[in-house]
Amino acid sequence: MKYTDINVNEFSLKLNSDYNYVLLDVRTANEVAEAHIGEPLNIDIFEEDFAEKIAKLDKSKNYLVYCRSGRRSASACIFMAENGFTGELFNLEGGILAWLSQQAN
């Protein structure tokens, strides 16, 4: 697999760094409306056109990918790695649930 699971602290550091990361939320639009991190690009992994939308992204960029708990985003990272993405792919361990829990502390 060509992606890396990272924790909330690492995700936050990368998100706030000077590097050109693309923040990708693979949850449903309703989930994104409830809570999200920053200003994410939202491509729902459950939608029929997920592969088509992912294929239109810049494969050379680095992506910070998240979902609710980290499972869907891990699947998205695997899909991206298998479909020619050459930039770094990072999956948020525990997803937005972990993020929100950390922010509450």
Side-chain angles (χ1 to χ4, degrees):
M1 282 180 257
K2 292 170 64 177
Y3 77 94
T4 306
D5 287 319
I6 58 175
N7 65 31
V8 169
N9 291 336
E10 294 169 301
F11 197 89
S12 182
L13 285 172
K14 290 186 182 307
L15 185 61
N16 295 310
S17 73
D18 291 335
Y19 292 102
N20 189 16
Y21 289 103
V22 176
L23 184 60
L24 177 61
D25 186 332
V26 297
R27 299 174 303 147
T28 66
N30 285 344
E31 287 176 298
V32 174
E34 289 174 13
H36 53 84
I37 299 169
E39 297 296 323
L41 173 62
N42 177 223
I43 302 178
D44 183 350
I45 197 167
F46 291 137
E47 290 293 321
E48 289 180 20
D49 61 353
F50 174 77
E52 183 181 312
K53 287 181 176 176
I54 290 292
K56 292 179 181 174
L57 299 178
D58 185 339
K59 291 179 170 55
S60 67
K61 289 195 183 276
N62 299 321
Y63 290 85
L64 294 171
V65 188
Y66 74 95
C67 65
R68 182 175 177 272
S69 66
R71 287 199 229 27
R72 283 179 277 174
S73 49
S75 295
C77 285
I78 291 167
F79 178 83
M80 293 166 77
E82 290 174 346
N83 285 276
F85 281 75
T86 57
E88 293 181 302
L89 300 169
F90 295 101
N91 176 48
L92 176 57
E93 288 179 315
I96 197 165
L97 293 178
W99 179 272
L100 294 173
S101 174
Q102 181 96 359
Q103 303 306 313
N105 293 337

